[in-house]
Amino acid sequence: MTEARQGMPFRKPDDEQGRPIDVTETLVATGTADAVTATWDADQAVTALYSANYRSLVRLSVLLVRDIGTAEEVVQDAFVAMHSAWRRLRDPEKALSYLRQSVVNRSRSVLRHRAVVEKYAPKGLPDAPSAENGAITELERTEVIKALGELPTRQREALVLRYYADLSEAEIASTMGISRGAVKSHTARGMAALRTVLEQMT
Amino acid sequence: MTDPLDAYGDALRRALHAEADAVVPAPDGLDRIRTRISERRRRFGWGWFTETWGRPAMALAAAAFIALIAISATPAMNAIEGITAGDRGSANEGPDRSVGNGTSVPGHGGAPGQPYPGGPAIPAPTSSPTPQTPPTVGVPTCQPSAAAGATASGSPSSPPSCTSPQPPVSSPPDPVTTPPTEPPASDTPSATSEPPAQPEQPHQGEQQGQP
C-alpha cells in the first residue's frame, strides 16, 4: 500500500507526504489547503505546482504523445494557460485537475496534428529511451508500450489515466470530458486489446 | 481469486511506470514557462492593448463624450434660443406695426400672442406688458416710452417697441389737442415726420382719384 502510494505520480503542491489524489481528496479539500491555495497568486501557483507535478505531468504526456520534447511543450503550454487563467479559476484547489485536463486535451491535439502530418509525410516515431526495471524486461515493456500506442486515442487516454495516474472513473471522466460509462467502455476495450501482450508479461 | 483484469492491470501499471520513470524532463522547464509567461504578458499586456485597441477605445470614449455633451446641452440651447427668439419678437414688433396697417397696430401691440409668425409664445408675456401701457395711457407719447423704459429696464428691446408704436398713436391727436406741448416731450423726428404724412395721404388719394 505504501509502495503504491509512493509510486503515485500526482501530488498536491503542499503535500509533502506524497499522498495519492483520489476522488475524496479532489472534491473535499482541507481548510488549510484552501487558505494556502487561495492566497497564491499566479506566479506562486505556477512555481508550486511545477515543483510538485511537472515531472508527473510530463511523464503522463509522454505516455500519450510518445515524445519527450513534445510532452514537455504540452505541459509548459498547460502551465502558461493556467497562469493566464488563474484569476478565472473559481476553485484554485482544482488547479491540478485543470492542469491534468489541459495536458490531456493538448496531447490529444498533438496526436491529431501528428496524424495529419504523418498522413502526408510518414516518418517513424521517436525511439523510447531504455530504462532498467527488475519486474519486466525491456522487451516486454517495449511491446506493451507499442501495443498501447496502437490503441485508439480515447482508449489509450483512459488506460494511462487509470493505470499510470491512478485516477478514479469520475476523475477520468472529468479529465476526458466523457461519462463514466464511456470511461468503463474505453478501459475495457483497451484492456481487451492489450490482453494478448499482457498475458505474455504475466 | 484475483480478477484477471486486475492482473493485467498490474502488469500494465508496471509497464507504464517503468516507461514513465525513464523520462527525465529538462531542468529548465520552469525557466521556459516563465519566459513564455513574460512573452505572453508583453504580447497581450498594456502595450498590446494600446497598440491594437487603444485608439478605437479612445475614439469610442470621445464619441460618447461628445454625444453626452450634445444631449445634455440640448435643453439649455432650447432655453437660450427661446430667450433670444423672444427678444427678436419684441424687437420685430415695431417694424410689423409700422409696415402693417397703422390703425390696428397700436391696439395689436397691446396684447401680442406672437410677435412674429412662428415665434415662440413664451417671450410674448414678458414683452406684452410694456406695449400695453401706451394704449392705457393714451395721449402722450413720452410717458409710455419713459414708463416702458422704467419697467423693462433690463431688456434692451423695450425702448424700440415703445417708441415705434407711439408715433401713429400720438400723431392723430397731436394736431388736434396741443401742438406746442408735443415737441418738448421726446420724439421729435417721429412727431415732425408723421403730421405731414397724414395730410398727404388724402391729398394723394384725391390726386389719384382725379384722373
Side-chain angles (χ1 to χ4, degrees):
Chain A
M1 185 67 178
T2 56
E3 291 179 357
R5 288 194 170 188
Q6 286 176 355
M8 297 299 177
F10 293 101
R11 293 181 292 111
K12 284 187 176 181
D14 55 345
D15 192 356
E16 298 296 336
Q17 302 299 324
R19 293 181 297 156
I21 294 177
D22 51 7
V23 178
T24 307
E25 194 171 11
T26 302
L27 296 180
V28 180
T30 60
T32 55
D34 270 338
V36 169
T37 312
T39 55
W40 283 351
D41 60 356
D43 294 332
Q44 292 174 343
V46 166
T47 303
L49 290 169
Y50 174 87
S51 62
N53 297 302
Y54 178 75
R55 179 174 296 184
S56 302
L57 289 169
V58 168
R59 289 173 174 174
L60 169 67
S61 182
V62 164
L63 293 176
L64 296 176
V65 302
R66 293 164 286 168
D67 182 11
I68 296 177
T70 306
E72 284 191 275
E73 288 185 0
V74 163
V75 176
Q76 289 167 8
D77 288 340
F79 270 94
V80 173
M82 187 206 66
H83 182 275
S84 62
W86 181 253
R87 290 183 178 180
R88 296 193 298 270
L89 280 178
R90 293 183 179 180
D91 189 2
E93 194 63 23
K94 293 184 179 177
L96 181 57
S97 300
Y98 178 89
L99 276 175
R100 192 187 303 128
Q101 187 172 359
S102 179
V103 167
V104 170
N105 290 334
R106 290 170 191 275
S107 299
R108 192 180 304 160
S109 298
V110 166
L111 291 177
R112 193 179 300 119
H113 177 70
R114 183 182 293 170
V116 173
V117 170
E118 288 177 353
K119 182 178 179 181
Y120 295 100
K123 54 185 178 182
L125 295 174
D127 295 333
S130 61
E132 295 297 331
N133 192 316
I136 57 174
T137 64
E138 182 178 350
L139 180 61
E140 291 172 341
R141 193 189 68 199
T142 305
E143 290 295 324
V144 171
I145 298 302
K146 181 181 178 182
L148 183 70
E150 292 175 355
L151 291 177
T153 305
R154 296 280 182 173
Q155 295 180 13
R156 184 167 59 250
E157 288 176 2
L159 290 178
V160 169
L161 292 174
R162 174 71 181 89
Y163 293 104
Y164 174 69
D166 292 308
L167 301 181
S168 66
E169 287 181 353
E171 286 179 312
I172 296 172
S174 174
T175 302
M176 295 179 63
I178 57 178
S179 64
R180 295 182 63 176
V183 171
K184 288 181 181 178
S185 175
H186 288 311
T187 305
R189 290 178 183 177
M191 288 299 291
L194 294 178
R195 180 171 295 178
T196 54
V197 179
L198 292 174
E199 281 177 353
Q200 296 175 0
M201 292 177 61
T202 55
Chain B
M1 291 296 289
T2 60
D3 190 2
L5 284 180
D6 290 340
Y8 296 152
D10 289 338
L12 180 59
R13 183 178 288 110
R14 287 198 303 271
L16 290 175
H17 278 276
E19 181 71 17
D21 289 340
V23 175
V24 179
D28 59 345
L30 186 59
D31 295 333
R32 290 183 185 177
I33 292 171
R34 286 175 176 169
T35 303
R36 289 189 182 187
I37 289 171
S38 62
E39 288 179 356
R40 190 183 181 91
R41 278 179 180 169
R42 186 170 59 248
R43 189 184 305 168
F44 298 104
W46 177 251
W48 172 81
F49 176 75
T50 53
E51 288 177 359
T52 57
W53 293 100
R55 290 181 179 178
M58 291 178 67
L60 280 176
F65 181 71
I66 292 171
L68 182 65
I69 288 178
I71 291 171
S72 62
T74 302
M77 290 298 294
N78 288 334
I80 292 171
E81 286 181 356
I83 292 170
T84 54
D87 294 340
R88 288 174 191 166
S90 60
N92 290 330
E93 281 176 0
D96 287 339
R97 290 168 191 165
S98 61
V99 170
N101 49 1
T103 55
S104 63
V105 166
H108 178 70
Q114 285 183 344
Y116 59 92
I122 299 171
T126 58
S127 61
S128 61
T130 52
Q132 279 179 357
T133 51
T136 55
V137 174
V139 181
T141 59
C142 59
Q143 287 179 356
S145 63
T151 53
S153 61
S155 62
S157 61
S158 55
S161 64
C162 293
T163 54
S164 59
Q166 284 170 3
V169 173
S170 61
S171 58
D174 282 343
V176 175
T177 57
T178 55
T181 56
E182 289 291 329
S186 62
D187 298 331
T188 54
S190 62
T192 53
S193 62
E194 287 295 333
Q198 279 192 350
E200 287 176 356
Q201 285 179 354
H203 183 67
Q204 289 176 353
E206 289 175 359
Q207 288 177 354
Q208 290 175 354
Q210 283 179 356

